[in-house]
């Protein structure tokens, strides 16, 4: 048994090296030193902190969800300036507006990791069946972590829908590897016109990247502002709390579609906070981001599917409710979505 476990560990170690991303090459900027990307003003985290956490984990409870709800087939298209938002799981949303169908960080696999057997197993099914998706036009990828960029799902999307993939710097090689169509790669603050119905602004995030053990920070991470006839929608991706949220609010205010109307903000994988806070906002941090962004409506993301941090299944929603109460913000201004249930915003 020990010999088998050692063999599996060695195979996993080799896979995490073979999965490394090719290094991005480009000019030096305020967040790229010529070799690696970095978060301005944030000290680099050390491996010592990771080991301390892994050897002292205190996981909250994740009860089984045998009767998890799966939604009905979505509408084929939503025309006009209404927006229909459906939470699939984790950071995957179906955004339907102006006749466009957009997916964020799509994941339908049973496990996310370098292989089908090495990685984090999902705790509940996706809120929509993959085979019942409407025609997908655009896929937004925030960074290359497996729980946000799942290559088996990308390959299925290419074969079923052939959508256009949008990525930050250095990440387009992944959809290209399965014959995906890609736009030019985006740096923070870049804008991109997809068509007459959709423009994008690539926004700063406070996070990191890697696919294996030897490629940390060699590709960029980001969020997106979506500019449509509905107004401005902000998809955060993955981020710790920082001053960049106020900058993003200003970017939106000066855009053609105006201030952020709808913000999709992470609320999970935040415990222990002494380790996670630089790269994952807690619910309290998400409320601070909400105040900075001042959207009409916020929706929680990055929770309830993969047990990555030590927070339990219900802690993100409970702690968000407490943080909203402390900030004297009505709970219906920042909601925790339910998988598979479409939300309509006028």
């Amino acid at each position: 048994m020990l010999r088998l476990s050692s063999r599996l560990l060695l195979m996993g170690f080799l896979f995490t090296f073979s999965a490394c991303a090719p290094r991005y090459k480009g000019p030096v900027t305020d967040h790229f030193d010529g070799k690696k990307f970095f978060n301005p003003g944030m000290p680099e985290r050390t491996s010592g902190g990771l080991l301390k956490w892994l050897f002292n984990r205190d996981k909250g409870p994740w009860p089984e969800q045998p009767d998890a709800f799966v939604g009905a087939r979505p509408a084929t298209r939503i025309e006009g300036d209404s927006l229909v938002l459906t939470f699939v799981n984790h950071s995957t949303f179906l955004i339907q507006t102006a006749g466009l169908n957009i997916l964020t960080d799509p994941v339908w696999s049973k496990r996310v990791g370098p292989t089908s057997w090495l990685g984090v197993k999902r705790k509940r099914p996706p809120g929509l069946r993959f085979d019942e998706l409407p025609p997908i036009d655009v896929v937004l990828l925030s960074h290359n972590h497996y729980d946000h960029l799942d290559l088996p799902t990308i390959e299925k999307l290419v074969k079923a829908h052939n959508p256009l993939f949008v990525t930050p710097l250095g990440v387009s090689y992944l959809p290209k590897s399965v014959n995906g169509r890609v736009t030019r790669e985006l740096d923070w603050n870049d804008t991109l016109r997809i068509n007459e119905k959709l423009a994008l602004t690539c926004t700063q995030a406070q996070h990191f990247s890697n696919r294996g053990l030897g490629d940390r920070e060699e590709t960029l991470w980001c969020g997106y502002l979506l500019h449509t006839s509905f107004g401005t929608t902000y998809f955060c991706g993955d981020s710790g709390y920082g001053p960049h949220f106020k900058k993003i609010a200003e970017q939106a205010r000066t855009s053609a579609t105006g201030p952020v109307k709808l913000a999709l903000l992470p609320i999970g994988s935040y415990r222990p906070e002494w380790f996670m806070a630089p790269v994952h906002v807690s619910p309290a941090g998400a409320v601070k981001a909400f105040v900075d962004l001042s959207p009409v409506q916020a929706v929680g993301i990055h929770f309830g599917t993969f047990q990555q941090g030590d927070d339990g299944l219900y802690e993100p929603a409970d702690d968000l409710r407490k943080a909203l109460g402390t900030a004297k913000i009505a709970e219906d201004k920042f909601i925790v979505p339910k998988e598979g249930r479409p939300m309509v915003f006028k």
Side-chain angles (χ1 to χ4, degrees), residues 26-250:
V28 173
T29 69
D30 66 348
H31 54 280
F32 181 66
D33 65 10
K35 292 185 177 180
K36 291 180 178 291
F37 292 94
F38 59 92
N39 296 294
M42 190 187 93
E44 186 174 353
R45 297 197 303 169
T46 65
S47 58
L50 174 61
L51 293 174
K52 178 183 175 182
W53 169 50
L54 291 176
F55 283 111
N56 296 277
R57 296 202 66 172
D58 180 24
K59 293 183 181 180
W62 276 66
E64 294 294 324
Q65 302 171 72
D67 301 317
F69 178 80
V70 178
R73 183 187 294 270
T76 302
R77 301 278 179 186
I78 301 295
E79 301 293 344
D81 57 7
S82 293
L83 185 147
V84 177
L85 181 71
T86 308
F87 181 41
V88 178
N89 53 210
H90 200 54
S91 295
T92 307
F93 280 83
L94 172 64
I95 302 173
Q96 298 182 280
T97 188
L100 294 171
N101 294 322
I102 303 163
L103 282 178
T104 63
D105 289 353
V107 178
W108 264 265
S109 293
K110 292 182 179 179
R111 190 182 295 271
V112 290
T115 74
S116 60
W117 52 267
L118 179 66
V120 183
K121 186 177 180 181
R122 69 164 57 247
K123 296 287 190 177
R124 62 171 293 134
L128 293 176
R129 296 176 180 86
F130 184 89
D131 293 341
E132 294 185 348
L133 286 174
I136 301 301
D137 303 301
V138 179
V139 176
L140 304 181
L141 300 174
S142 64
H143 61 298
N144 71 359
H145 283 159
Y146 291 102
D147 60 315
H148 293 258
L149 199 160
D150 176 57
L151 203 54
T153 296
I154 297 300
E155 187 170 19
K156 288 177 66 176
L157 284 167
V158 170
K159 292 177 180 178
H161 301 277
N162 194 28
L164 188 63
F165 293 90
V166 183
T167 76
L169 297 176
V171 179
S172 68
Y173 81 96
L174 283 162
K176 283 180 181 177
S177 72
V178 291
N179 299 315
R181 295 188 299 127
V182 301
T183 67
R184 64 182 174 90
E185 295 181 336
L186 301 182
D187 197 358
W188 293 346
N189 308 318
D190 282 350
T191 59
L192 178 68
R193 169 64 66 177
I194 299 295
N195 53 33
E196 72 280 1
K197 297 179 178 180
L198 174 65
L200 300 168
T201 302
C202 179
T203 59
Q204 181 177 348
Q206 187 172 290
H207 201 55
F208 67 107
S209 66
N210 70 302
R211 295 285 279 189
L213 294 176
D215 63 343
R216 190 177 174 90
E217 273 93 36
E218 292 185 359
T219 63
L220 187 59
W221 47 93
C222 74
Y224 295 98
L225 292 172
L226 290 71
H227 308 286
T228 67
S229 57
F230 165 77
T232 303
T233 301
Y234 171 52
F235 170 61
C236 180
D238 228 350
S239 182
Y241 179 76
H244 59 285
F245 287 111
K246 291 182 179 179
K247 179 180 178 181
I248 292 166
E250 183 58 28

